[in-house]
Structure formats: C-alpha cells, structure tokens
C-alpha cells in the first residue's frame, strides 16, 4: 500500500492469512495477489477446501480403525470382560460436552461478528450509492456510478434554449441585446460541455445498491445456516449425554449417525471458511491496488486516487469544471440583471422570459453548491473506509472464529464417536450378564424387580420366622460347614455390574461357607447349622 495512506491499516490476521501457501490444483505455487477472475487463483482457494476434505478423510479413517480395533479385540481374562471400565466413557463424555459448549460459544460469537462486518459493508455501499445517485441527479456521473442522466444541466440547456429563442425574436431590432443573448448561449453550451465531457462513465457503471442487496441476501442465509448448525451441535451433544445416562442403545446409535453427519458438516464449513478468510485477506492487504487495476482502462487514475486516498495534497479533479460553471453562472446572472434593468422598459414582453432565465440560473447555482459538496472526497472516502473496516476487521475476524468453531466441533464429535461404541458395548455386556444370572436367585436385582411388579406374587417369609421353623431340624442335622467350589469372583463381578461396590451381603447364600457378617448371632448360628441342601431350600423358599 502507499506510504501516504494512514487511515486504513490492514489487521495483523489478514497478513497471517495472506501468507498461507497459494497452490493450484497442479501443486504449483502462484502469486498471492487478489485476482478472483484468474483461474489459478480460484484453484488456490479450492485447494484450501481440498485440504479440509483431506482432514475429514483422515479423521474418518482414524475413527474406522478405532472402531475396528474395538470390535475385533477381545480381552484375555474373563473377569475383565465382565467388569468393563466405565471411567473412560464417563470422562470422554464430559470432555466432549465441554468442548462442544466452548465450540458453540465461539461459533455464536464468530457468526455475530461476521454478520456485523457484512452489515457495515452493505450500509456503506448504500450510503455511497445514495451519494452517487445525488450526483447523478444533479447532472454528472462519477466513477462506479449510476445511469447517465443530464439532470440539472439538461434542464438548464433546454429551458435556456426556449427562453433565448423567444428573446431573440423580441430583441430582433436591437443588435446589442441579440449579441448578449448569443454570448449567454455560448457560455451555457461551454458549461455543459465541460461537465458532461469529463470522462466516459458509461463503461464504469456499477449498481452499488444491487451489490449491497445481493451481499445482504447471501449473508442472511449464511448467518441462518450457521445458527442452525450451532443449534444442531448442541442438541446432538445433549441427546448423546442423555443416551449415556439412560443407557439407551437406540438413542446412542441414532446420535452416532448424526455425529458422523455433524463431523462432515464441521469439516466442510472449515474448508469454506478457510478459503473465504484467505481470499478476503488477500483483498484486504491492498484493496486500493485492486480497485485501481480494475478501473484503469475506463476511469482516470487521478479520480480514483482522489476518492480512495482523499489527502489534502490531492486536488479535486472536478475543480476546474466546477469553477468554470460557477464563473459562467455569475456572468450570466450579471447579463440578465442588465437586461432586466435596461431592456424591459423598452420591451415589456421580454420580462417574463428574462425572469424565467434568472430563476433557472438561481436553481442551477443551488444545484452547483450541492454538487460541489457531493463531489468532495470526504463523503465517499468515509464510506469506503467503513466498508473496508467492516470486511477486513469484523468480517475476517468472525470467519476466523467460525474456523475455530469448526475445529473444536470436529474434535468434540470425534471424542463422542469414540466414546459411544464403548458405552454401547458396556450396556450390551451388562444385559448379557443379567441374562446369565439365575432367575431364581433371591439376590438377583432383576428377580426382585419382577417380583415387585407381579401383583400375584405371595409375600416373602421373614428370615427370623423361617429360622425358627428350622430350629427343630438342627437336632436332626448336626452343623457341618460345607465348602463350596463356586467361584466367588463371579458373584462379585455380577454385583459390580449394578454400579455399587461388591459386598458380602450381596453374595447369594448358595456356595457360602459362612453367613454374611451383618447377620445377628442367632441368624449366624442358624445359618451355620444348615446343610447345603437346607440352604438351597432356604433360597427357594425365600424367593417364593
């Protein structure tokens, strides 16, 4: 950028993005200058999207390898297979939830910043279009301007021609008055020639209002798309946590499918945002250079430079025709005043046309002052700088936050997709262990739940009442401690599956050599006096 430009300074992140490698699809480095019409430059932006696509493929490949190892690998020891570790799943779910919340917060901020930047740009374009529209209606068309309209100059020319034609007939007998009228006609033609012959603005017509409308429409749908994506990420995370808490396999499976879809959307948005950020940063590094290169063939470089830089050292390229216009109007007003003073007493019918010309000159002078103010560089330069600040500061910054959101969302859903299969497998193991348990085991939680849900189930006898009835049998069967070969670790693992620590009170009575430690002395003596067969009958009667 030019060294005398101090109003606009590109932010540091645009330089960082501008230094990204620019490589076309043939893996050849290209120039980093912003050239959206160049095919190689377009390919360099597409290449950034392909990098994100490669990241998506690598991510899915790693997930596929992980799931394959999880499905194919089996634990060697049976105890470990029946006692799955849920700590890893829990912490993975917590980490995925926290990362998703951070990602959604960053995404909302980035989406709002980008929307604010685009809104500021469109607002500046509308203001610039209003300024150019005012200039156009006053009889001159500027760079990037509107339709070619004669405006005030055309009205003055046609109105002045009619008045001068009638006055020429009235003053036909006075040669000096006719000569004054001819002089006024020449001055009017010279003014119009100076103003309308500045440049060929027709070749540089750009409807800024149409560009602003298109930008606002695209931004609205972009903002709405990201808003829906943020809400979708949050809902999927909440439902996945709900599925883990409820141990619902169908909900976890559904969330796994949606998690893969969201993972694809995250990488896709990352590629689009990265290409947009790099392309916009290339423009923000030197916007003046790009604008001047696009207008050098149709508009004078002095005019473009005057409005883009607007320095006090630069002269207004319209100063000369405006000065000629002002001097011509002053001279013509002096001539009209002389005719009103000296010609009207001799030619009363000429007063109406002379007053019409005077009114036309007064209105033209008022339009000249408005035109001079509109042609000043400060108004359009302010709109230009506001648009650059909106795009290069808020806009690019917001897009960078959206890139960070996509990365965090991809990480969060990768962790979630790793945790869900492990949780699904643990739930399946628990259900299988429930099925392997003896339905007649009185300490089986499923048996107790089924018993409580059965209205026809008879009331269970208390242990004390049953032990008193068994007192008569103690004399017939002397106490003989039975030694059971039933694996105690199996019952301990069954108990651990229900989420609690294994306790001896939870171990079934069958196969035990001693009663649980929480039994009273009477209950312990009764239990020790039983044979193995009596303990088995005791378990069946306790269930009944």
């Amino acid at each position: 950028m030019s060294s005398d430009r101090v109003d606009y300074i590109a932010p540091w992140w645009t330089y960082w993005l501008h230094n990204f490698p620019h490589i076309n699809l043939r893996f050849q480095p290209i120039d980093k200058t912003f050239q959206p019409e160049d095919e190689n430059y377009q390919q360099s932006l597409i290449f950034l999207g392909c990098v994100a696509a490669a990241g998506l493929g690598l991510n899915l490949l790693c997930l596929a390898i992980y799931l394959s190892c999880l499905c194919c690998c089996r634990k060697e020891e049976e105890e470990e297979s029946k006692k799955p570790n849920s700590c890893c799943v829990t912490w993975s779910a917590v980490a995925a939830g926290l990362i998703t919340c951070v990602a959604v917060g960053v995404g909302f901020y980035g989406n709002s910043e980008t929307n604010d930047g685009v809104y500021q740009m469109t607002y500046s374009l509308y203001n610039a279009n209003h300024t150019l529209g005012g200039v156009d209606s006053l009889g001159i068309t500027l760079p990037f301007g509107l339709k070619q309209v004669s405006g005030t100059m055309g009205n003055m020319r046609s109105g002045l021609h009619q008045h001068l034609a009638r006055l020429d007939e009235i003053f036909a007998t006075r040669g000096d008055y006719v000569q004054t009228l001819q002089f006024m006609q020449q001055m009017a033609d010279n003014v119009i020639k100076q103003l309308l012959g500045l440049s060929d603005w027709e070749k540089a017509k750009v409807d800024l209002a149409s560009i602003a409308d298109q930008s606002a429409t695209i931004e609205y749908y972009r903002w709405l798309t990201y808003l829906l994506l943020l809400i979708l990420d949050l809902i999927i995370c909440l439902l996945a946590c709900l599925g883990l808490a409820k141990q619902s396999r169908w909900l976890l499976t559904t969330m796994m499918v949606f998690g893969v879809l969201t993972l694809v959307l995250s990488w896709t948005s990352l590629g689009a945002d990265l290409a947009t950020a790099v392309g916009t940063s290339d423009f923000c590094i030197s916007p003046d250079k790009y604008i001047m290169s696009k207008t050098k063939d149709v508009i004078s470089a002095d005019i473009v430079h005057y409005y883009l830089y607007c320095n006090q050292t630069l002269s207004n390229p319209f100063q000369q025709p405006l000065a000629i216009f002002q001097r011509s109007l002053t001279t013509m007003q002096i001539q009209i005043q002389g005719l009103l003073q000296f010609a009207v007493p001799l030619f009363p019918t000429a007063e109406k046309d002379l007053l019409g010309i005077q009114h036309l000159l007064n209105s033209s002078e008022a339009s000249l002052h408005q035109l001079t103010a509109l042609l000043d560089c400060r108004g359009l330069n302010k709109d230009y700088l506001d648009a650059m600040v909106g795009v290069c500061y808020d806009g690019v910054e917001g897009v960078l936050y959206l890139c960070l959101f996509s990365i965090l969302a991809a990480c969060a859903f990768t962790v979630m997709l790793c945790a869900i299969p492990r949780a699904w497998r643990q739930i399946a193991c628990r259900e299988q262990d429930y099925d392997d348990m003896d339905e007649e085991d009185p300490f089986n939680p499923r048996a107790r739940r089924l018993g409580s849900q059965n209205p026809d189930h008879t009331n269970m006898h208390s242990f004390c009442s049953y032990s008193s009835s068994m007192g008569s049998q103690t004399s017939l069967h002397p106490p003989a401690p039975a030694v059971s070969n039933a694996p105690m670790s199996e019952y301990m693992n069954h108990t651990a599956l229900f989420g609690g620590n294994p306790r001896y009170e939870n171990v079934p009575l069958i196969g035990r050599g001693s009663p649980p430690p929480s039994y009273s002395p009477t209950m312990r003596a009764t239990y020790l006096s039983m044979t193995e067969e009596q303990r088995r009958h005791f378990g069946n009667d306790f269930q009944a």
Side-chain angles (χ1 to χ4, degrees):
M1 297 183 65
S2 178
S3 60
D4 59 352
R5 183 63 179 277
V6 296
D7 293 334
Y8 169 77
I9 299 177
W12 63 267
W13 51 81
T14 58
Y15 288 97
W16 178 64
L17 291 170
H18 179 67
N19 290 327
F20 273 30
H22 289 60
I23 303 174
N24 59 16
L25 297 181
R26 293 182 295 274
F27 299 98
Q28 298 174 350
I30 64 170
D31 187 14
K32 298 180 181 180
T33 305
F34 181 70
Q35 299 173 349
E37 298 86 2
D38 185 66
E39 182 180 358
N40 287 326
Y41 185 82
Q42 294 174 359
Q43 291 182 3
S44 68
L45 298 182
I46 296 175
F47 181 81
L48 295 175
C50 294
V51 171
L56 172 62
L58 183 62
N59 193 352
L60 294 178
L61 179 62
C62 293
L63 283 175
I65 295 175
Y66 171 79
L67 295 178
S68 299
C69 294
L70 186 65
C71 294
C72 297
C73 295
R74 293 291 184 268
K75 295 183 178 180
E76 297 180 356
E77 297 182 3
E78 185 179 358
E79 294 96 3
E80 294 181 359
S81 64
K82 292 187 177 182
K83 188 178 180 181
N85 187 12
S86 61
C87 181
C88 179
V89 177
T90 302
W91 284 109
S92 298
V94 171
L98 291 177
I99 296 175
T100 302
C101 292
V102 174
V104 170
V106 172
F108 271 110
Y109 179 77
N111 198 29
S112 177
E113 282 292 301
T114 305
N115 184 260
D116 292 342
V118 176
Y119 174 79
Q120 185 173 348
M121 182 198 69
T122 55
Y123 183 78
S124 301
L125 289 178
Y126 283 127
N127 285 341
N129 188 75
H130 178 73
T131 301
L132 296 175
V135 172
D136 191 27
S137 64
L138 291 174
I140 187 171
T141 308
L142 288 180
F144 333 112
L146 309 162
K147 57 184 180 179
Q148 183 73 25
V149 184
S150 57
T152 303
M153 299 301 99
N155 294 334
M156 186 185 73
R157 184 175 186 178
S158 59
L160 185 62
H161 179 73
Q162 295 175 2
H163 290 299
L164 292 178
R166 286 193 293 267
L167 290 174
D168 187 63
E169 295 177 359
I170 296 174
F171 297 151
T173 57
R174 294 292 301 265
D176 52 345
Y177 293 161
V178 173
Q179 187 177 2
T180 301
L181 296 177
Q182 292 176 354
F183 177 72
M184 293 176 60
Q185 183 66 51
Q186 291 176 0
M187 294 184 65
D189 292 340
N190 186 36
V191 169
I192 294 173
K193 182 179 179 180
Q194 288 288 334
L195 293 179
L196 298 183
L198 290 174
S199 297
D200 189 8
W201 306 120
E202 284 294 319
K203 297 180 181 180
K205 288 194 305 182
V206 177
D207 191 356
L208 297 182
S210 176
I211 295 177
D213 291 337
Q214 294 177 3
S215 301
T217 301
I218 295 174
E219 170 57 22
Y220 171 75
Y221 287 108
R222 186 211 62 80
W223 174 84
L224 183 61
T225 301
Y226 267 98
L227 182 63
L228 295 177
L229 181 59
L230 292 168
I231 296 175
L232 178 63
D233 288 355
L234 194 59
I235 291 176
I236 291 176
C237 180
L238 293 177
L239 291 179
C241 293
L242 180 63
L244 291 174
K246 296 294 185 180
Q247 298 183 356
S248 175
R249 286 195 292 176
W250 71 267
L251 184 58
L252 291 177
T253 304
T254 305
M255 290 305 102
M256 190 172 181
V257 174
F258 279 99
V260 174
L261 175 62
T262 308
L263 188 65
V264 174
L265 292 178
S266 298
W267 281 100
T268 303
S269 63
L270 176 61
D273 291 337
L274 185 60
T276 302
V278 172
T280 307
S281 298
D282 294 339
F283 170 75
C284 293
I285 290 298
S286 182
D288 304 342
K289 181 179 179 181
Y290 173 74
I291 294 175
M292 294 186 70
S293 65
K294 295 297 294 183
T295 58
K296 63 181 180 179
D297 297 332
V298 292
I299 303 174
S300 173
D302 295 336
I303 297 176
V304 180
H305 194 272
Y306 172 71
Y307 285 103
L308 292 181
Y309 293 91
C310 194
N311 290 331
Q312 297 296 331
T313 57
L314 298 176
S315 60
N316 190 342
F318 302 103
Q319 185 65 38
Q320 181 179 358
L322 291 176
I324 294 176
F325 191 6
Q326 179 65 52
R327 289 195 299 266
S328 299
L329 286 178
T330 303
T331 303
M332 293 171 68
Q333 287 176 344
I334 294 174
Q335 297 292 333
I336 292 298
Q337 287 291 341
L339 291 176
L340 286 173
Q341 183 177 0
F342 298 104
V344 169
L346 300 177
F347 303 95
T349 56
E351 182 178 8
K352 180 178 179 181
D353 290 312
L354 291 175
L355 291 176
I357 293 176
Q358 187 180 39
H359 176 72
L360 185 60
L361 294 176
N362 291 334
S363 62
S364 297
E365 186 176 10
S367 299
L368 174 63
H369 294 308
Q370 298 178 15
L371 185 61
T372 303
L374 292 174
L375 289 176
D376 188 79
C377 65
R378 289 173 292 183
L380 288 176
N381 182 258
K382 181 181 181 302
D383 295 331
Y384 166 73
L385 292 179
D386 290 342
M388 290 297 99
V389 170
V391 172
C392 301
Y393 280 80
D394 294 339
V396 177
E397 181 185 9
V399 173
L400 284 177
Y401 277 108
L402 290 177
C403 292
L404 180 59
F405 152 73
S406 300
I407 295 174
L408 292 177
C411 294
F413 283 100
T414 300
V415 174
M416 183 181 298
L417 291 175
C418 292
I420 288 179
R422 294 182 64 89
W424 195 91
R425 184 178 180 182
Q426 289 183 8
I427 295 172
C429 291
R430 290 180 180 179
E431 292 184 356
Q432 183 179 1
D433 292 338
Y434 278 134
D435 294 337
D436 293 340
M437 282 187 179
D438 188 5
E439 294 293 340
E440 298 180 356
D441 189 352
F443 292 95
N444 183 359
R446 173 176 292 185
R448 290 201 298 267
R449 290 197 300 266
L450 294 176
S452 62
Q453 296 174 0
N454 188 1
D456 297 332
H457 198 283
T458 58
N459 295 331
M460 293 186 296
H461 300 285
S462 65
F463 178 79
C464 296
S465 63
Y466 188 85
S467 61
S468 61
S469 64
M470 293 293 295
S472 59
Q473 300 181 12
T474 57
S475 59
L476 299 178
H477 301 278
V483 179
S484 174
N485 295 326
M488 188 64 64
S489 59
E490 180 178 356
Y491 294 104
M492 302 291 285
N493 290 330
H494 289 341
T495 306
L497 290 172
F498 301 109
N501 294 326
R503 295 175 57 89
Y504 285 98
E505 289 83 355
N506 298 330
V507 180
L509 298 179
I510 303 173
R512 294 187 59 137
S514 62
S518 62
Y519 281 10
S520 64
T522 305
M523 296 168 62
R524 292 173 60 88
T526 305
Y527 181 87
L528 292 174
S529 65
M530 296 180 185
T531 62
E532 186 67 18
E533 183 68 17
Q534 289 174 340
R535 293 173 185 173
R536 185 177 297 108
H537 286 299
F538 166 74
N540 294 334
D541 293 340
F542 185 78
Q543 180 182 7

